[in-house]
Amino acid sequence: MHAQEEAIVTILSTSDVHGHLYPTDYRGPGDKPLGMAKLSTLIARERRANPAALLLDNGDLLQGTPFMYHYAKYDGTGVHPAARALNALGYDAAVPGNHEFNYGLDLLRRAISDTSCPWLSANIRSEADGQPAFGQPYRVFTMPQGIRIAVLGATTSYIPNWEEPAHIEGLAFEDAAASIRRWVARIREKERPDAVVVSYHGGFERDPATGEPTEPLTGENQGYEICADIPGIDVLLTGHQHRLLAGELNGVAYAQPGSAGEALARVELRFERGDDGVWRLGRKSARLLRVDASVEADAALLAMFEEGERKTQAWLDQPIGTAEGDLSIADPFLARQADHAFTEFVNRVQMEVTGAELSCAAIFTNEARGFAGAITMRDVVSNYIYPNTLKVVRLSGRDIRAALEKNAAYFALDEATGALRVSDAYLEPKPQHFNYDMWEGIEYVLDVSKPEGERVAKLLYGGEPLDPDADFDVAMNSYRAGGGGNFDMLKDKPVVRDLPTDMTEILADYILARGTIVATCDRNWKVVY
C-alpha cells in the first residue's frame, strides 16, 4: 500500500520570441525588457525550484529580428542560432509556428536537424505519405515521480493563406482542431498518460471569459474550440496572437506569453497518488512571468551569440541603397498634412508587392526621419518600428470614405488660435500617431473646419467621384486590417491576400533589389482648415 503522496509538475513555455535573442529591438541603443537571454534568467530561477520542469517553445522563433534576417539572407553558417538557443537552454520540445516557413523549407529543416529536442506538429503532414512532416506529433515525458506527461504539438492550419507556395511545397495543413481531437484520443488510449498538454501555435478566436467572437471564425485561431469541445486536454499552450493570457477554460489551463520574449508562461499541475498507486491530476494553475527591469540577461547566452550580434550590428549600419531626392521627414506633423515622398514610397511598395490598386500607411512616431542619402537597414527599422505584415483587404467605396473620416479625426483646431493640432483623442492616454493613415491611389481632401464625420471634402478615383458601392483592393498593415485603432469599418472584411513577411523585410528587399530609390510625390491628398 502507498501512503498518499503529492507531486507538482511545472511546465514552462515560450512563444513568438521572433528571433529576439538579445534584449534589443535593433532600432536604437538601450537594454529592453525582452529577449531569450532574459527569458533564460527566468527559466533558471524556475529550474532552481523545480529542476525537472518541462520547457517548451511554441513557435515563431526563426524569424522577426535583423539578427535572424542577417543569418538567413547573408550568413547561414554553422548551427542555426535558434537551434543553438534551444539546445543551450535545454528545451524539451519545440513546435513550428507559421513564421518558421518564411525563409523556406531548407533553412527550417536545417534548424530542426540542428536542434537536440524534437519538433512536434501533428497537423502538418507530408503530401507524399500523409505522415507528420517533422518526424513526430507528440512526445511522452516521464517525470522523476513516475508521472507521465504527453505533449502534443499543432500549428495554425491557416499557413497556406499567407506563405509563399515554394516555402510549403509538399506539405499539407490539416485543420488543427480536428487533428488535435484525433491525436488526443489516440494518445489517451495508447499511452495512458497522467496529463495531456497541447502546445498549439495558434490563439483564441473567442474571448476565453465570455465566449464572444473576437475575430472572424476562419480557422486561423481555434483555442476556444479546442478548450471547449475537445475532451482529454489538461493544458493548452497558445501563441501566434502575441497576447498576454493565462487562465482556465472548461477545465483546461491555458497560457499565451506575448511576443519577443516579454514573458514566460508557467503552468503548474498538482498530482495526488492514493493507496492504489495511481497518480491523479488535481488542481491546475497558469500564470505569466514577465520580464521586468529586475531581470538581467544571461551573460553566457549573450556571449554565445556575440559574434553574430556584432555582424548584425555592423550590417545594420551598412548602406543597402540610396535615396535620390528628398525622402526625409523634417517635421512629422507637416508630413501628415499633405502627401509626402516617404509615405508615398511606403504605399508604392505595398501596392507593388501585393498588386493592390490602393494602399494606406502611417508615419508611426514623431521620431521617424525618413530616408536621406545612403539608406541603412537601421534606417528601415527605425522608421517602420512595428512587426507588421501586409494584407490586401477588399473594401467598398463607402468603407474607404468611413476610414478617411476616421483619419480626419486625428486633427483638431486650437480654440484660441484656430491653428491645426493633433486632437486629444490621439494624444491621451498615449500618443497614437500610428492610427493616422495616408492613402495612395485615390485623390482626397480632408477639411478639418467641418464637424467630425463630415470632413472628406473631396474623394476621387481615376478622376471621378469614388463609387460608394464599388469594390477596391487595398494594401495595409496587418494591425489596421484587423480593425486596429478602432477602424471598425475595416474589420472582418474579405482578405484577398496575406503576406506573412514583416514589412521591414519587404522594404529592405525592395531597396536592395533596386539600389536607388527615387523620391516621388503626386500630391494626391491634403488637409485643409
Side-chain angles (χ1 to χ4, degrees), residues 14 17 20-24 30-46 89 91 260-264 289-302:
T14 56
V17 174
H20 287 83
L21 303 179
Y22 267 61
T24 177
D31 188 77
K32 303 294 192 299
L34 53 82
M36 189 69 88
K38 293 201 170 184
L39 289 178
S40 177
T41 301
L42 294 181
I43 291 165
R45 287 181 190 173
E46 290 299 310
L89 272 61
Y91 274 76
E262 65 181 317
L264 177 70
L289 307 177
R290 298 291 296 270
V291 172
D292 59 26
S294 71
V295 179
E296 297 288 335
D298 178 349
L301 198 72
L302 294 179

Side-chain angles (χ1 to χ4, degrees), residues 318-338:
Q318 290 297 312
I320 60 172
T322 303
E324 183 179 299
D326 189 6
L327 286 111
S328 64
I329 301 173
D331 183 334
F333 186 59
L334 285 176
R336 296 186 185 106
Q337 295 178 43

Side-chain angles (χ1 to χ4, degrees), residues 86 125 180 204 243 252 320 385 395 468 491 502 525:
L86 294 173
R125 297 179 286 107
I180 290 168
F204 286 90
R243 298 168 71 184
V252 179
I320 60 172
I385 64 171
L395 302 177
K491 194 174 181 181
D502 281 5
W525 67 272

Side-chain angles (χ1 to χ4, degrees), residues 212-226:
E212 290 297 312
T214 53
E215 61 179 54
L217 303 180
T218 62
E220 175 182 348
N221 297 297
Q222 298 172 292
Y224 191 93
E225 177 187 351
I226 291 166

Side-chain angles (χ1 to χ4, degrees), residues 101 121-127 130-133 137 152-161 168 170-184 186 200-201 218-220 222 226 230:
F101 298 89
S121 189
N123 68 311
I124 303 178
R125 297 179 286 107
S126 167
E127 287 183 336
Q131 295 301 307
L152 174 69
T155 307
T156 177
S157 54
Y158 215 62
I159 290 171
N161 293 282
I168 54 174
L171 299 180
F173 295 83
E174 182 184 4
D175 179 84
S179 181
I180 290 168
R181 181 186 298 275
R182 188 175 68 256
W183 278 101
V184 167
R186 187 180 306 184
Y200 164 57
H201 188 82
T218 62
E220 175 182 348
Q222 298 172 292
I226 291 166
I230 300 178

Side-chain angles (χ1 to χ4, degrees), residues 401-402 404-409 447 450-457:
R401 179 177 286 273
L404 290 172
E405 289 289 359
K406 175 67 177 173
N407 285 326
D447 187 347
K450 305 288 187 183
E452 286 192 18
E454 302 174 19
R455 290 179 170 178
V456 179

